[in-house]
Amino acid sequence: MKAPSFITLVKRFVAGYKTYVGLNFLFNILSTVFSLFSFALIIPILNILFRIETQVYTYAPINWNDLAGSLKNNAYWWMQQFISEHGGVATLALLGGFLVVMTMLKTGSAYLASYYIIPLRSGVVRDLRQKLYDKIVDLNLGFFHHHKKGDIMSRMTADVGEVEASIMSSIEMLTKNPIMIIIYFGVLLWLSWKLTLFVLIVLPFAGTLMGKVGKSLKRKSQLAQTQSGQLLAQIEETLGGLRVVKAFNAENDVMRRFDQMNNDLRKTTNSMQRRNMLAHPMSEFLGTATIAIVLVFGGMVILDGNSTLDASSFIYYLIIFYSIINPAKDLSKAWYSIEKGRASLERIDAILAASNPLKIVDNPIPIKPFNSKIEFKNVWFKYEDQWVLKNINLTVEKGKTIALVGQSGSGKSTLVDLLPRFYDVQQGEILIDGINIKDMALYDVRKQMGNVNQEAILFNDTIANNITFGTKGATQEDIESAAKIANAHDFIVATEDGYETNIGDRGERLSGGQRQRLSIARAILKNPPILILDEATSALDTESEKLVQGALEHLMKTRTTIVIAHRLSTIRNADEICVLNEGEIVERGKHDELIAQNGIYKKLCDMQSF
Ligand code: ADP
Ligand code: MG
């Protein structure tokens, strides 16, 4: 792992949870210190059991220059007193009691350390999820033309889960283990610096070996997450298109494709997890090998006779050394794990870093209620390379109805999508009451508009909640009167629970006409001064089209409307009809004028009168 990126990782996750991290640190230190004390009790216990201690200690006042030495001296003195008064067994029992208490303090502190790290773990994961969700809600529509829905979902769920499982579950190791290792090493140095220096020469070999494996793990993990994203995308697509899959007898094709992707993922997972599993046995082996080396080397020093280390201290040394092995092992595992998780984090960051091309002005011009006109001035627009709209000039006076007609693909939907700034124009400008919409707050622009599109977009919720979607503070009367104007009230009360009926995914439990009337009721309730109708009736049968058309006419009466209609009879009375062809307005005028011109409009009308 590269150090700088590791530091940014920690900074990024720890910011906002500093108190927890602080407490975690504190208790980890306490826990380590307590464990040292509990191990230290081993020395006198061994000495008593094997009657090794021959020296007679006498009480000496504390010597601050050799604090440890004089504490040790007095402890031994006190213990010898205790042994001679109460006997060896009682002393052992006393030491055993100490051991229990120390261990309790140690494990208690360890628990508290974990206790305080948990809110950090869960908090970071929550923050990630929230940031991702906020981001996708905020991103402009263009982003989603380039990214599969399933892949985005996979990043929001699987990758966040991976970060939780691998990075966040390792965060604990990152605070606990280094503390333990550093403190233990300090004690080892103090016990015998020679032996410890020797250990320090041996250890890096083991470390390098471990690091090699970690590197390839991240690469594999990245591949696995990409593949599982593709898999989810395929599932998502299949669910959406199951009707077509069946109708075209394409079950086998999609199954084969899925099978292939599924197997690829399995292969990657296999090799990734096998590598992951290496961490444990490898570190155990290397750890034990190092201990064996230390045992031999240390034993040699002691058997030599002239060493400062006595046998029981050497055992204490070995115990501490052995206690380093575990945290070191965990640390290496955590390192592996983090490498794995960083692959997911990168995929998450790719979304978080996506920029929204809609530039939001810092000081938007406050708007007044719409009172004059909407203007498109020399507007040019393209999604990718080709101009989809070319030099559009259009003025919509307040209260008027403007109709856009033209062949499919001529740019009608694109033109009306520019008004609520779903996309920004590349050249020219769009003004509402003389103010460029780019200089207004996005919220203000959209507040003035109501959209009804070809596809009614509804949510899996009750009818009432679908109507009030985005409108605050509507009463039941408001909802019902909106539904009545939209010709929806009658069918709503006929449903099982009336306004409280749940309409299913995207409203699938309603007919197309009913769905559309609900979306009209929603627009009526919002009561916007500007109305955008994009082929609102074209997905409907004649019967429901009449109902919806009636509802729309109510809605249009008092408003400024831009309407795209595929049935030209419905726009006959528009104040102006603009004919779009390949992104240009080629004809404009009232119905009769355009018929008289005998151009494209006349042709379109003739085709429909059949
Ligand atoms: P209409 O509503 O008149 O049928 P559209 O405005 O939907 O036409 O589309 C106009 C042109 O823009 C078409 O050529 C279409 O292929 C293209 N287009 C529409 N949406 C996108 C998009 N998201 N990305 C790229 N091109 C698009
Ligand atoms: Mg369209």
Side-chain angles (χ1 to χ4, degrees):
M1 194 183 317
K2 283 169 284 163
S5 59
F6 173 70
I7 289 166
T8 43
L9 194 75
V10 170
K11 261 195 206 151
R12 166 175 175 184
F13 283 157
V14 166
Y17 297 95
K18 291 205 180 83
T19 321
Y20 290 121
V21 175
L23 285 168
N24 172 262
F25 253 83
L26 176 70
F27 283 110
N28 274 328
I29 292 175
L30 282 180
S31 160
T32 312
V33 170
F34 286 133
S35 75
L36 277 173
F37 277 118
S38 64
F39 294 153
L41 286 168
I42 289 292
I43 303 177
I45 290 178
L46 287 174
N47 285 344
I48 291 170
L49 278 180
F50 297 108
R51 302 205 164 82
I52 294 172
E53 195 61 63
T54 47
Q55 193 184 339
V56 175
Y57 290 89
T58 51
Y59 177 78
I62 298 282
N63 173 8
W64 291 103
N65 291 328
D66 181 21
L67 185 62
S70 77
L71 280 178
K72 186 178 157 198
N73 177 69
N74 286 347
Y76 271 77
W77 163 77
W78 184 83
M79 216 159 51
Q80 280 179 345
Q81 296 277 314
F82 195 89
I83 294 173
S84 62
E85 276 168 41
H86 303 276
V89 177
T91 313
L92 273 184
L94 183 73
L95 291 175
F98 264 131
L99 186 63
V100 170
V101 171
M102 281 299 164
T103 310
M104 202 174 74
L105 287 173
K106 172 198 151 185
T107 50
S109 308
Y111 171 68
L112 283 176
S114 320
Y115 182 92
Y116 285 113
I117 204 75
I118 283 175
L120 168 79
R121 282 173 56 172
S122 57
V124 166
V125 171
R126 176 206 51 198
D127 296 347
L128 269 186
R129 241 186 255 123
Q130 191 68 41
K131 271 193 208 141
L132 273 173
Y133 187 78
D134 293 354
K135 185 76 189 187
I136 58 164
V137 172
D138 180 62
L139 274 173
N140 78 321
L141 296 178
F143 178 82
F144 300 94
H145 302 320
H146 305 287
H147 292 82
K148 288 190 174 181
K149 253 188 277 172
D151 184 55
I152 294 174
M153 273 161 60
S154 153
R155 288 172 200 235
M156 289 194 69
T157 54
D159 284 297
V160 172
E162 179 65 40
V163 168
E164 174 166 28
S166 51
I167 298 189
M168 295 325 288
S169 65
S170 309
I171 277 266
E172 194 178 354
M173 316 273 182
L174 290 187
T175 59
K176 182 167 89 188
N177 300 1
I179 293 178
M180 290 171 79
I181 293 173
I182 288 169
I183 294 183
Y184 285 163
F185 247 110
V187 176
L188 289 186
L189 271 174
W190 176 64
L191 282 174
S192 165
W193 62 267
K194 266 190 234 157
L195 199 51
T196 310
L197 274 186
F198 172 72
V199 168
L200 278 178
I201 296 167
V202 180
L203 275 188
F205 281 107
T208 327
L209 222 61
M210 305 282 302
K212 285 241 157 78
V213 186
K215 278 226 176 79
S216 72
L217 208 59
K218 182 177 163 205
R219 226 177 24 246
K220 293 271 181 212
S221 173
Q222 190 128 32
L223 183 61
Q225 293 296 340
T226 312
Q227 286 173 334
S228 76
Q230 287 165 349
L231 211 64
L232 210 72
Q234 159 110 4
I235 295 172
E236 207 265 343
E237 251 174 35
T238 309
L239 284 178
L242 212 50
R243 175 185 288 268
V244 178
V245 169
K246 287 178 190 292
F248 284 82
N249 279 330
E251 287 101 329
N252 281 332
D253 295 343
V254 293
M255 281 195 270
R256 210 173 313 118
R257 209 165 96 198
F258 189 81
D259 188 46
Q260 174 79 42
M261 290 162 98
N262 203 4
N263 266 323
D264 288 349
L265 177 59
R266 174 172 180 238
K267 270 186 218 147
T268 316
T269 316
N270 275 351
S271 80
M272 184 178 73
Q273 293 195 345
R274 282 181 170 157
R275 214 152 293 211
N276 201 17
M277 289 298 158
L278 253 185
H280 188 74
M282 223 163 107
S283 59
E284 178 159 349
F285 172 76
L286 291 171
T288 313
T290 331
I291 284 217
I293 296 173
V294 172
L295 189 66
V296 172
F297 187 77
M300 257 157 54
V301 173
I302 289 176
L303 290 178
D304 207 24
N306 51 15
S307 113
T308 52
L309 203 64
D310 58 40
S312 7
S313 300
F314 181 52
I315 291 184
Y316 181 50
Y317 186 98
L318 280 183
I319 290 177
I320 296 180
F321 187 74
Y322 194 73
S323 310
I324 288 186
I325 301 284
N326 256 335
K329 213 152 68 182
D330 285 349
L331 197 64
S332 70
K333 238 159 93 182
W335 173 358
Y336 275 38
S337 202
I338 285 175
E339 281 301 301
K340 213 169 120 222
R342 273 153 56 104
S344 285
L345 198 62
E346 274 169 24
R347 281 164 50 80
I348 291 172
D349 285 344
I351 293 191
L352 290 181
S355 64
N356 191 335
L358 289 192
K359 292 287 162 274
I360 306 297
V361 284
D362 293 330
N363 300 305
I365 300 174
I367 54 152
K368 299 188 191 70
F370 177 57
N371 72 0
S372 158
K373 62 186 175 216
I374 304 165
E375 291 164 282
F376 285 73
K377 277 192 179 164
N378 308 319
V379 166
W380 291 72
F381 177 79
K382 60 185 171 188
Y383 289 101
E384 269 134 33
D385 306 327
Q386 265 200 322
W387 291 111
V388 172
L389 292 175
K390 298 167 207 160
N391 200 22
I392 298 290
N393 282 289
L394 179 65
T395 304
V396 187
E397 305 276 351
K398 187 183 178 196
K400 296 276 170 22
T401 296
I402 302 293
L404 300 176
V405 301
Q407 274 165 341
S408 172
S410 56
K412 308 180 294 291
S413 298
T414 305
L415 191 122
V416 292
D417 277 352
L418 295 181
L419 201 48
R421 284 190 77 190
F422 289 152
Y423 310 97
D424 267 343
V425 302
Q426 274 100 9
Q427 290 177 33
E429 51 189 10
I430 299 175
L431 312 168
I432 295 181
D433 288 342
I435 303 173
N436 193 325
I437 54 173
K438 287 184 182 176
D439 295 331
M440 301 179 188
L442 210 52
Y443 181 87
D444 288 342
V445 174
R446 291 177 184 167
K447 196 171 69 178
Q448 308 190 65
M449 298 170 197
N451 284 62
V452 181
N453 301 323
Q454 182 169 357
E455 271 290 326
I457 294 174
L458 300 174
F459 300 92
N460 191 339
D461 204 341
T462 62
I463 289 179
N465 285 344
N466 266 290
I467 296 179
T468 55
F469 189 82
T471 309
K472 288 182 199 75
T475 64
Q476 184 64 22
E477 284 93 77
D478 296 338
I479 299 174
E480 285 185 24
S481 76
K484 277 178 189 153
I485 300 172
N487 284 336
H489 182 71
D490 292 342
F491 92 77
I492 293 172
V493 289
T495 58
E496 206 173 318
D497 300 318
Y499 281 85
E500 295 310 312
T501 307
N502 189 296
I503 58 170
D505 264 358
R506 302 171 203 213
E508 66 190 358
R509 284 155 66 183
L510 301 175
S511 77
Q514 291 170 333
R515 281 205 288 270
Q516 198 56 296
R517 279 177 277 156
L518 279 196
S519 73
I520 293 170
R522 182 166 65 195
I524 292 173
L525 191 69
K526 188 183 178 190
N527 195 19
I530 300 167
L531 195 62
I532 298 168
L533 306 175
D534 188 353
E535 312 213 29
T537 60
S538 61
L540 306 178
D541 55 281
T542 337
E543 189 69 15
S544 36
E545 181 175 1
K546 271 201 194 108
L547 284 167
V548 172
Q549 190 61 38
L552 286 176
E553 268 152 28
H554 281 299
L555 187 57
M556 286 157 64
K557 234 173 240 163
T558 51
R559 274 165 251 264
T560 312
T561 311
I562 302 180
V563 54
I564 301 171
H566 88 130
R567 202 177 302 277
L568 299 181
S569 56
T570 58
I571 49 142
R572 201 177 273 262
N573 298 322
D575 297 295
E576 186 180 25
I577 297 171
C578 296
V579 182
L580 270 170
N581 188 35
E582 292 181 4
E584 285 175 281
I585 299 181
V586 287
E587 290 173 18
R588 58 173 87 202
K590 289 208 183 268
H591 174 77
D592 299 333
E593 297 164 9
L594 291 178
I595 293 289
Q597 268 188 28
N598 200 10
I600 296 180
Y601 183 75
K602 171 89 167 34
K603 241 183 258 161
L604 288 171
C605 278
D606 289 345
M607 280 197 289
Q608 288 200 354
S609 55
F610 264 108

